[in-house]
Amino acid sequence: MAKDEDRIEIDRNAGFVGDYLLYLLAAASDAASTDFHAHVREQGLRVPEWRILACLSDEDGQMVTQLAQLALMEQSHLTKIIDHMASKGLVKRRSDERDRRRVRVFLTAAGRALGARLVDEAQAHEEEIIARLRPGEAALLKNALKHVHALYRAGSGITPAPVREPVKLETRPT
Amino acid sequence: MAKDEDRIEIDRNAGFVGDYLLYLLAAASDAASTDFHAHVREQGLRVPEWRILACLSDEDGQMVTQLAQLALMEQSHLTKIIDHMASKGLVKRRSDERDRRRVRVFLTAAGRALGARLVDEAQAHEEEIIARLRPGEAALLKNALKHVHALYRAGSGITPAPVREPVKLETRPT
DNA sequence: GGCAAAAATATGCGAATTCATATTATTCAG
DNA sequence: CTGAATAATATGAATTCGCATATTTTTGCC
């Protein structure tokens, strides 16, 4: 398979990417989630559906927009996911009494049961991860992640690094 | 806008999700990246294209599969992104001399220039984030992220929490 | 050397996701 | 109380993405 000169050792600490915070966040998130996401799919759920189950298990009857922000997805996408989950009998919609523009999403009995089960499994899985870290490392990590998350919520008015002239590079229109 | 009873304060530390490691990773990654990703798109690049530019800036001439893994995306998807970047004159393909199954991707002059610029800007942006954290917090965070990433690379043979019977919930076929 | 198996990339198609906008309901100014 | 402005959700088209598989090249065994 791999011949000698192929072992181009990719030293992740050498270049820019391997020590770039945004890369490390994305890569760690991706790597740590892969296993459990596979498990979720084996249960017949898509990952976004699992996220919604989890959020509703925490607090039932949330609004669509609220849920979308919490579950890190777009509103219009969530609408479609709710359609799908409703057709599977996991959730049902009920429009808010006070403000009928709003749609509140509630777990069905089946949704609540599945959600509770998966939350349990997620916690067990989390324990396994934490067990592999150094003592106290998980707590530090979670704190720092909460800190970053809190700093960069929507609408902090923070702008990225100074922007020079946008560049037109398209050979053909995208 | 928001009436009184609407301020359903979502206490993220109350339920499961707000302290779940995989959620915190995804949420922090998402939140921290939003600004810079917007900047990237203003430059006429898609986020995956930026990731490839960054990876190639670190090490030019990487293989497609290598790059895909590094940039956290699927091989077939990367192939299409490379098509697009090539049509914009940012990269070019060259098949490996020793093994002509392999395609090595190289930056063009324009690609190298744009990559260098964006890497600079990314580093400046990273500094801004780090400046908002407590002293030393970023180093701890990066270390922990590297640790998690290292533990959960593809093929560690780790299985998620014990799996009970898969559940069929579809009302209609997906 | 020739052939089966494996590796690296590309391709086609279907599913997932986003974007712009329509629809419905509420608020608020006058 | 009427209409303009805003808010919440839904809808449809377009894009992006992922899975299965085809294609090309290399490897290894006989």
Side-chain angles (χ1 to χ4, degrees):
Chain A
M1 170 188 83
K3 288 189 298 188
D4 253 4
E5 2 95 35
D6 298 334
R7 297 184 297 88
I8 301 166
E9 181 62 38
I10 301 173
D11 186 348
R12 279 180 177 70
N13 290 33
F16 157 68
V17 165
D19 196 53
Y20 177 43
L21 180 58
L22 298 199
Y23 176 77
L24 294 174
L25 283 165
S29 176
D30 186 80
S33 302
T34 296
D35 286 346
F36 193 72
H37 286 179
H39 174 60
V40 163
R41 278 184 284 261
E42 282 164 9
Q43 307 297 302
L45 279 185
R46 303 167 190 174
V47 170
E49 292 179 331
W50 145 240
R51 292 203 168 123
I52 296 308
L53 277 189
C55 291
L56 290 179
S57 296
D58 271 0
E59 180 184 334
D60 205 9
Q62 296 192 65
M63 290 171 44
V64 169
T65 305
Q66 228 174 91
L67 262 181
Q69 185 182 343
L70 198 55
L72 313 173
M73 66 183 82
E74 269 225 339
Q75 176 264 312
S76 75
H77 185 206
L78 178 55
T79 289
K80 286 156 193 171
I81 289 173
I82 292 173
D83 288 346
H84 199 248
M85 294 177 77
S87 84
K88 293 204 281 188
L90 293 172
V91 300
K92 55 186 194 297
R93 281 181 237 247
R94 195 193 313 159
S95 74
D96 188 301
E97 276 307 304
R98 312 256 186 184
D99 184 342
R100 282 197 306 270
R101 292 172 299 185
R102 297 178 175 180
V103 170
R104 299 211 171 258
V105 186
F106 292 89
L107 292 168
T108 62
R112 188 179 328 282
L114 181 56
R117 236 191 32 164
L118 281 169
V119 167
D120 280 354
E121 293 170 355
Q123 281 171 328
H125 177 249
E126 183 182 20
E127 291 300 329
E128 291 179 12
I129 298 180
I130 292 174
R132 294 173 162 255
L133 299 177
R134 285 184 283 273
E137 190 174 18
L140 284 176
L141 175 56
K142 282 186 179 186
N143 258 323
L145 291 172
K146 286 177 191 174
H147 197 174
V148 169
H149 185 213
L151 286 177
Y152 286 89
R153 292 253 179 84
S156 348
I158 294 157
T159 328
V163 175
R164 308 169 204 177
E165 282 235 312
V167 180
K168 289 290 185 308
L169 277 159
E170 346 276 342
T171 287
R172 58 169 201 227
T174 308
Chain B
M1 169 188 87
K3 290 187 298 189
D4 254 4
E5 4 95 33
D6 299 334
R7 296 183 298 88
I8 301 167
E9 180 62 36
I10 301 173
D11 185 349
R12 279 180 177 69
N13 289 34
F16 157 67
V17 166
D19 196 53
Y20 178 43
L21 180 58
L22 298 199
Y23 177 77
L24 294 174
L25 283 164
S29 176
D30 186 81
S33 301
T34 296
D35 285 346
F36 193 73
H37 285 178
H39 174 60
V40 164
R41 279 184 283 261
E42 282 163 10
Q43 307 298 303
L45 279 185
R46 304 169 189 170
V47 170
E49 292 178 332
W50 145 239
R51 291 202 169 125
I52 296 308
L53 277 190
C55 291
L56 290 179
S57 295
D58 271 0
E59 179 183 334
D60 205 9
Q62 297 193 64
M63 291 172 44
V64 170
T65 305
Q66 228 174 89
L67 262 181
Q69 186 182 342
L70 200 54
L72 313 173
M73 67 183 81
E74 268 228 338
Q75 176 263 313
S76 75
H77 185 206
L78 178 54
T79 289
K80 288 156 194 171
I81 289 173
I82 292 173
D83 289 346
H84 199 248
M85 294 178 78
S87 84
K88 294 204 281 190
L90 294 172
V91 300
K92 55 185 193 298
R93 280 182 237 247
R94 195 192 313 157
S95 73
D96 189 301
E97 277 306 304
R98 312 256 188 186
D99 184 341
R100 282 196 307 269
R101 290 172 301 184
R102 297 178 175 179
V103 170
R104 300 213 170 257
V105 186
F106 292 88
L107 292 169
T108 62
R112 188 181 328 281
L114 182 55
R117 238 191 29 166
L118 281 169
V119 167
D120 279 354
E121 293 170 354
Q123 281 172 329
H125 176 250
E126 183 181 21
E127 291 301 328
E128 292 178 12
I129 298 179
I130 292 175
R132 296 174 160 252
L133 299 176
R134 285 184 282 273
E137 190 174 18
L140 284 176
L141 175 57
K142 283 186 178 186
N143 258 323
L145 291 172
K146 287 177 192 174
H147 197 175
V148 169
H149 184 212
L151 287 177
Y152 286 88
R153 294 254 178 84
S156 347
I158 294 157
T159 328
V163 175
R164 308 171 203 176
E165 281 236 313
V167 180
K168 289 290 186 308
L169 280 158
E170 346 277 342
T171 287
R172 58 166 201 229
T174 307

